[in-house]
Amino acid sequence: MHKPKYTRRIPSDAEYKTVKGKRFVRIFTGGKWQWVPVSKGGLALLQHRLWHGRLRLATGRVISIKLLRDRESSESMLRARQAHEDAVRTGRALAASKSEETVAELIDRYEAEKRLEGLTEAYIATTWPRLREAAAKLKWETIEDVRQTEPQQISKWFTMNARGALGTKIKRLVIVKQFMKWLMDQEIIFRVPRFPKVSDKVTNQRRALSPDQIEELANASPWPRSLLYRLAFATLARRGALLALRVEDLDLSDPAKATVVLIPRKSKTKRGQRVPIPAKLVPDLKRLVQQAKGRPIFWKVATLNMSNTFKADLKRAKIEHQTEDGAAVFHSLRHSGATHLAKSGVSLMLIKEMGGWGSLKMLFKHYAHLSPMSDRAAIDAVMNAEPASPEKLKIFKQT
């Protein structure tokens, strides 16, 4: 790699000096006044701010391309470009498309594809304004602007321009990175720059509520939030999926076999499943369905700030919001339902399918309280019991 040199005409009133037999002139370049060498032809000799590198195309032709200002990032970009050209030459990839789309048009296309994948309207409504805001802050107008993005620009934008709490900043960072990965998958850009490594560890974990506490909460809450809380506990559904429910998603014809369908577009994990509804909730649900009139059945609740509303309902039910075990939030209802089913002996595989978790590992990660120490008394009662016939026990040799 190298930084090529070029010449520029010298203003008539420029200041000169000679150092060790070499002539220099003072001119304004790169946003500041600098002393630069004078060429044999009497012109200012300047060095390009961008690194340049030699790239061997899939056709065998070698060309010089502009890279970035940072040497390490330029080397990374050149390696990515060369790897892509090698893959095109061997038939493992297609040639990069010379897209004439603006960044704004690409963001629109990206949004359209994500809608087809089943992302919720709530997620799209909060994500895409943040992506467009980030693109404006990073001064992305054309594809070339995105290709020339350096890690320093990402870091500066993250620390100086992204507003809000740390968790919100990290979400913006993830959104931008996902968009750049999509551009690379589309073979529009050749690499994703290095992003800042930031962690937002939650110090207070969510705690599970007991079935009695859930009932106390529901009894102390006004209609229809009381039903929403009971349904969240019984179905393990997320808040967004419940608030988006419509009449057609419910099957209440037979109270003993009542179900609700959580379809992919309402699910964070894009997994749709049919979930049973307890028969005791069917009369209240039928009453709510009659009030819906073509709207989501919980349309009255959807307009509220649920975080503050849930805290107020906890206070009304005389349940502590924060304890040593963690915080009680709306998601604790899903948390509590999974805990209650597990402690009641329901298979973890069934709980995983009911809650829409991608794997048991994910279930264990977020529900660490489902551990051997969570019900020590029950485990001790089983393991301390004397076997009925010790002579029949088999000894297994570890291999």
Side-chain angles (χ1 to χ4, degrees):
M1 294 194 312
H2 64 287
K3 286 187 175 181
K5 293 183 179 181
Y6 63 99
T7 59
R8 182 192 296 178
R9 292 181 60 183
I10 300 175
S12 58
D13 58 346
E15 181 183 354
Y16 291 86
K17 71 176 182 180
T18 303
V19 179
K20 296 182 179 180
K22 291 184 178 180
R23 200 176 182 203
F24 292 83
V25 63
R26 186 170 181 263
I27 64 172
F28 190 79
T29 179
K32 59 183 178 180
W33 289 95
Q34 298 184 57
W35 288 98
V36 299
V38 179
S39 69
K40 293 180 180 180
L43 300 174
L45 190 60
L46 303 174
Q47 189 176 43
H48 209 289
R49 288 182 293 174
L50 298 180
W51 287 93
H52 286 57
R54 291 169 64 83
L55 177 69
R56 183 178 293 277
L57 301 177
T59 59
R61 181 186 169 200
V62 178
I63 62 173
S64 178
I65 61 170
K66 290 182 181 179
L67 299 171
L68 308 169
R69 295 186 184 182
D70 179 67
R71 183 184 180 92
E72 183 180 347
S73 301
S74 297
E75 290 174 347
S76 174
M77 183 178 184
L78 184 60
R79 284 196 299 269
R81 289 286 302 271
Q82 190 60 67
H84 178 76
E85 291 295 331
D86 293 342
V88 172
R89 179 172 52 81
T90 56
R92 291 180 287 112
L94 297 174
S97 57
K98 296 181 179 179
S99 176
E100 299 296 332
E101 296 170 285
T102 64
V103 172
E105 291 170 340
L106 285 166
I107 290 176
D108 291 340
R109 184 151 65 89
Y110 178 50
E111 177 183 352
E113 284 194 16
K114 289 301 178 182
R115 283 180 184 273
L116 291 175
E117 290 180 11
L119 289 185
T120 62
E121 290 296 326
Y123 179 81
I124 289 173
T126 57
T127 299
W128 264 258
R130 290 174 177 174
L131 178 57
R132 291 186 175 91
E133 178 190 357
K137 293 288 185 181
L138 290 166
K139 298 180 180 179
W140 286 351
E141 295 182 2
T142 66
I143 283 300
E144 198 58 35
D145 296 331
V146 183
R147 287 175 178 169
Q148 298 297 326
T149 301
E150 300 190 46
Q152 294 89 330
Q153 290 175 259
I154 299 291
S155 181
K156 182 179 178 181
W157 161 74
F158 175 73
T159 56
M160 302 296 291
N161 296 325
R163 302 187 305 275
L166 180 60
T168 304
K169 289 184 179 183
I170 293 175
K171 286 179 182 177
R172 287 189 173 96
L173 199 68
V174 171
I175 289 167
V176 172
K177 190 172 185 177
Q178 288 175 341
F179 175 60
M180 295 195 79
K181 285 185 176 179
W182 177 80
L183 289 175
M184 193 167 71
D185 291 340
Q186 299 289 314
E187 298 183 333
I188 296 175
I189 64 175
F190 301 97
R191 106 291 182 220
V192 176
R194 187 176 62 254
F195 275 64
K197 292 183 179 180
V198 187
S199 63
D200 182 25
K201 295 183 179 178
V202 179
T203 54
N204 293 323
Q205 64 178 7
R206 305 183 187 103
R207 81 172 190 272
L209 301 174
S210 67
D212 291 338
Q213 287 178 314
I214 299 290
E215 198 60 28
E216 291 172 7
L217 174 65
N219 289 335
S221 304
W223 172 270
R225 291 204 302 274
S226 55
L227 178 58
L228 177 67
Y229 297 154
R230 289 188 174 105
L231 192 63
F233 174 74
T235 61
L236 313 188
R238 293 180 175 85
R239 181 179 64 188
L242 291 175
L243 294 181
L245 284 179
R246 293 185 173 272
V247 175
E248 56 268 23
D249 299 327
L250 298 167
D251 182 0
L252 308 176
S253 55
D254 184 354
K257 298 180 180 179
T259 59
V260 58
V261 177
L262 303 173
I263 60 179
R265 66 179 172 81
K266 302 172 186 174
S267 173
K268 177 182 175 183
T269 56
K270 307 175 193 173
R271 298 184 64 194
Q273 64 266 15
R274 184 179 292 274
V275 180
I277 299 175
K280 62 182 181 181
L281 299 183
V282 171
D284 284 338
L285 280 170
K286 287 183 176 180
R287 173 189 166 192
L288 194 63
V289 164
Q290 292 176 351
Q291 300 174 355
K293 297 180 180 180
R295 293 168 293 197
I297 62 173
F298 288 108
W299 64 273
K300 289 184 178 180
V301 183
T303 60
L304 302 175
N305 182 326
M306 282 307 299
S307 296
N308 294 335
T309 302
F310 191 79
K311 286 182 183 179
D313 289 340
L314 285 173
K315 186 176 182 180
R316 202 177 282 115
K318 298 181 179 179
I319 300 174
E320 291 291 331
H321 166 63
Q322 185 76 47
T323 67
E324 294 180 355
D325 296 328
V329 295
F330 190 96
H331 203 77
S332 295
L333 302 174
R334 171 178 165 89
H335 196 76
S336 307
T339 302
H340 182 59
L341 290 174
K343 288 186 175 181
S344 301
V346 177
S347 166
L348 289 179
M349 287 297 296
L350 290 177
I351 297 174
K352 178 184 80 70
E353 291 301 318
M354 184 174 175
W357 287 281
S359 63
L360 285 175
K361 181 180 179 181
M362 185 65 68
L363 178 62
F364 292 145
K365 176 182 177 182
H366 293 289
Y367 296 85
H369 61 285
L370 298 177
S371 65
M373 298 305 295
S374 63
D375 202 349
R376 175 67 184 268
I379 294 175
D380 285 347
V382 174
M383 300 308 294
N384 290 332
E386 292 294 332
S389 51
E391 68 279 359
K392 294 184 179 181
L393 291 177
K394 295 182 180 179
I395 300 176
F396 292 89
K397 183 182 293 185
Q398 186 174 3
T399 59

